[in-house]
DNA sequence: GTGAAAGCGCTAACAA
DNA sequence: TTGTTAGCGCTTTCAC
């Protein structure tokens, strides 16, 4: 059992109130008592009990973060930014892996509520009515990362998916491509799925290029496997493609592996641009050209938003962070005909 | 402000002691009062305050985990296993990114101590005397993951690095290779660096193959970049190598990328086996044959060890988890001469 | 079967 | 400048 403020008080021959004062850097004691107290703290190696502090201050100095999948590179990068900012701001972060499972998410929300976390970060998933209700009843700030809600008023930080997809596709156009296919994620996904398809189509339309539904593959997810199985299908449907926009880096890597198996040379016979700029992008062969989302920064910005809501008690503006294309070697410039 | 046990008691017309009893599933009340209390809890949507509970029970139901780098795939996989087990066991996990920085680590230890976490998981890094002292003074269970300490008595869970490196190298031998090089990590690293080199040498020795220091590159780390710069050097020192054991998957992928640039065909001209079996291993071209560490399982097992120490108060045995080689396509079988 | 009351370690209002 | 005291929300004796 470690020492309490009482022990320190006794040791320093002062009251616990005085100890509390020097502990919290308040005024109301002489230099001499401060010395005495500090000395006692050092001698006893006293550590204030954050739980007792939390009980009275009604602050746990802890925030919760919910991921559909903590072990993905995507989540890990966001977590890195969050962890950095949270600690800089004097708090800790509890991580929860929801596995995109509603009931599990509810259990976590319950848990975080009982633990009296000061705020919640919600990543990638969409907010159901059930989530909203309990989030709302907790009366603590919530910030969404890499997702948004059209129905519920939570501030968010993300990239403009449609715009980023436009940028990726437009980059391909500028590199001389006109037969451009897309390896899409789940089109039911209104936040990260459909908007990227819209951006792709808009880029094509803006350059006067035809939009052909045969040139799009809609996968169920954004995974390597989806890309691996998706590419052959896409090439079968549209054999004259010279470039592909993949809606995630994992999808793109899967496509590259499939292309390798098919003997299709990247980028000589087929160019590919990805989306995310995960660490794997630069490990690809060839290194993957991709549209970067500033994941760590998104985590940091979201955390800062959360804290300013916690401190000032008022809502904060959502933030759209800039994306940019990272040129590597998976896209080849071709001469327009 | 949410409701307290007092409100529930008032609402149900019982004492707070009774509410506490039903909350904790203790005996000492009639079926009828239980109903009343449960009803009141439901109506008020009462949520017990875990902080108040923690103050009195002296348990925070929280454990801390320290990583040198949370955002690596390696850490993320371990975290996934830990998160799973921790929640199954009724706790939460606070993550800390030490950046392999001593002072930062000390700050986190301090923080976790003040938060009165029930246990600590320490990943990949080695325990300094300073860490040991504060860990020891916290008087809570500690379990090491993917590292161990020769000087301090913390139980650990890891793979047998030397043995796993032996297995990897021996696999290459069995596939007919006799000119085998190694892309090593930091040899100053007594836990993950040197043992893998030892395992490699032992496998060679056991098969009567010569050990040539020119066939080993010692990098500073285990990263993609290290592999990328390491391979050309290795090939320059020993141009007749037919196979390479890389001490990590990242190192192996870096080597594969470098080989690609050099025009060296994998596995036709050079075979490569990795170490870790991260998700990136199967995304490589060609898919990487590697020695798998069961990272998620390591996280789960370590967590279970931690909890059994917390509950039973006594030390627990360290665990060496089995490794195995995952055959993919980066190693070619060659006929012995 | 149920309630009153003490107290976990701390902060903050109020006195002195 | 300093101490006394009343809680924060809960668990747990100890009475009844």
């Amino acid at each position: 059992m470690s020492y309490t403020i009482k022990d320190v008080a006794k040791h320093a021959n002062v009251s616990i109130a005085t100890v509390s004062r020097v502990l919290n850097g308040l005024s109301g004691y002489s230099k001499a008592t401060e010395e005495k107290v500090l000395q006692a703290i050092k001698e006893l190696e006293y550590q204030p009990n954050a739980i007792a502090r939390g009980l009275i201050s009604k602050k746990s100095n802890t925030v919760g973060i919910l991921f559909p999948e903590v072990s993905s590179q995507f989540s890990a990068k966001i977590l890195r930014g969050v962890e950095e900012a949270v600690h800089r701001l004097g708090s800790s972060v509890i991580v929860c892996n929801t596995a995109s499972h509603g009931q599990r998410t509810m259990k976590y929300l319950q848990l975080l509520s009982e633990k009296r976390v000061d705020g919640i970060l919600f990543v990638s998933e969409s907010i159901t009515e059930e989530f909203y209700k309990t989030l709302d009843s907790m009366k603590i700030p919530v910030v969404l990362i890499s997702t948004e809600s059209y129905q519920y008023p939570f501030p968010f930080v993300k990239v403009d998916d449609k715009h980023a997809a436009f940028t990726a596709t437009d980059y391909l156009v500028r590199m001389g491509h006109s037969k451009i296919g897309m390896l899409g994620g789940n089109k039911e996904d209104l936040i990260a799925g459909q908007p990227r398809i819209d951006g792709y189509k808009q880029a094509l339309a803006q350059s006067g290029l035809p939009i052909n539904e045969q040139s799009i593959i809609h996968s169920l997810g954004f995974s390597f496997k989806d890309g691996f199985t998706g590419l052959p299908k896409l090439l079968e449907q549209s054999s004259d493609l010279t470039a592909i926009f993949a809606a995630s880096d994992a999808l793109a890597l899967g496509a590259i592996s499939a292309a390798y198996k098919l003997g299709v040379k990247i980028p000589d016979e087929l160019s590919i641009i990805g989306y995310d700029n995960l660490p794997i992008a630069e490990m690809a062969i060839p290194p993957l050209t991709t549209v970067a989302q500033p994941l760590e920064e998104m985590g940091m910005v979201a955390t800062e938003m959360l804290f300013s809501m916690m401190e000032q008690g008022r809502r904060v503006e959502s933030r759209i962070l800039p994306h940019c294309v990272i040129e590597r070697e998976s896209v080849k410039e071709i001469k327009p005909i």
Side-chain angles (χ1 to χ4, degrees), chain A:
Chain A
M1 207 74 310
S2 56
Y3 292 109
T4 73
I5 197 171
K6 235 172 169 169
D7 301 311
V8 176
K10 201 170 295 173
H11 203 84
N13 258 312
V14 296
S15 72
I16 61 168
T18 298
V19 177
S20 176
R21 283 188 193 103
V22 348
L23 233 36
N24 293 289
L26 303 177
S27 59
Y29 46 83
S30 67
K31 194 73 191 158
T33 25
E34 179 176 6
E35 291 295 327
K36 271 198 302 184
V37 172
L38 257 20
Q39 181 63 23
I41 288 175
K42 198 187 250 171
E43 277 176 23
L44 300 182
E45 294 190 338
Y46 166 73
Q47 301 228 338
N49 183 327
I51 298 188
R53 282 180 153 178
L55 182 57
I56 187 156
S57 69
K58 293 177 181 331
K59 278 198 59 187
S60 59
N61 285 318
T62 305
V63 306
I65 186 166
L66 296 105
F67 290 104
E69 178 52 64
V70 258
S71 72
S72 71
Q73 275 197 353
F74 184 88
S75 300
K77 280 286 168 196
I78 289 174
L79 179 58
R80 181 70 185 83
V82 168
E83 196 275 348
E84 184 71 32
V86 162
H87 279 107
R88 176 161 36 78
L89 295 165
S91 259
S92 310
V93 53
I94 287 180
V95 319
C96 302
N97 188 94
T98 68
S100 302
H101 191 283
Q103 219 172 308
R104 202 170 153 145
T105 305
M106 286 302 291
K107 258 196 59 191
Y108 280 128
L109 255 23
Q110 193 71 23
L111 178 83
L112 295 173
S113 176
E114 295 194 2
K115 291 236 160 117
R116 300 296 194 263
V117 294
D118 305 324
I120 286 185
L121 261 13
F122 198 92
V123 186
S124 289
E125 294 263 52
S126 60
I127 303 284
T128 67
E129 189 187 344
E130 192 181 19
F131 298 168
Y132 172 71
K133 276 187 181 160
T134 84
L135 245 14
D136 184 56
S137 72
M138 288 170 70
K139 301 200 185 334
I140 54 171
V142 174
V143 173
L144 274 26
I145 301 180
S146 188
T147 183
E148 67 181 298
S149 174
Y150 296 140
Q151 324 170 47
Y152 307 112
F154 295 127
F156 57 84
V157 24
K158 62 191 287 290
V159 141
D160 182 333
D161 284 74
K162 182 176 171 191
H163 188 179
F166 175 94
T167 304
T169 311
D170 191 55
Y171 172 81
L172 261 14
V173 173
R174 285 168 194 278
M175 294 301 274
H177 296 273
S178 54
K179 307 284 189 186
I180 302 173
M182 174 167 179
L183 230 31
N186 189 340
K187 63 178 169 179
E188 312 283 291
D189 179 342
L190 265 35
I191 307 300
Q194 191 58 48
R196 295 185 196 172
I197 297 172
D198 294 342
Y200 157 80
K201 290 182 176 172
Q202 185 169 323
L204 257 30
Q206 178 156 319
S207 297
L209 262 18
I211 293 167
N212 183 351
E213 289 297 336
Q214 293 297 98
S215 299
I216 309 178
I217 284 286
H218 304 285
S219 302
L220 260 58
F222 294 86
S223 72
F224 177 83
K225 202 153 281 171
D226 291 322
F228 191 81
T229 58
L231 184 83
K233 284 188 228 161
L234 182 56
L235 258 24
E236 203 170 300
Q237 289 179 16
S238 309
S239 55
D240 59 345
L241 265 23
T242 63
I244 288 176
F245 162 48
S248 78
D249 283 351
L251 236 22
L253 284 244
I256 290 179
S257 283
Y260 176 76
K261 285 256 191 279
L262 294 172
V264 175
K265 303 259 178 301
I266 310 287
D268 291 335
E269 297 169 40
L270 185 68
S271 289
I272 296 188
I273 186 168
Y275 188 110
D276 282 339
N277 193 32
L278 299 183
I280 49 167
E282 57 177 338
M283 300 185 183
I285 296 176
L288 185 69
T289 293
T290 191
V291 183
Q293 299 197 63
L295 297 173
E296 283 197 30
E297 190 189 346
M298 283 162 63
M300 299 196 12
V301 168
T303 304
E304 282 156 7
M305 284 163 62
L306 193 72
F307 274 73
S308 79
M309 286 171 80
M310 278 160 34
E311 281 152 23
Q312 302 167 25
R314 63 166 201 279
R315 166 148 294 119
V316 114
E317 298 235 338
S318 292
R319 296 273 303 273
I320 298 289
L321 260 34
H323 58 270
C324 65
V325 357
I326 305 289
E327 294 191 81
R328 283 194 273 248
E329 301 164 29
S330 63
V331 174
K332 182 186 174 189
E333 177 158 20
I334 62 175
K335 299 281 164 277
I337 312 158

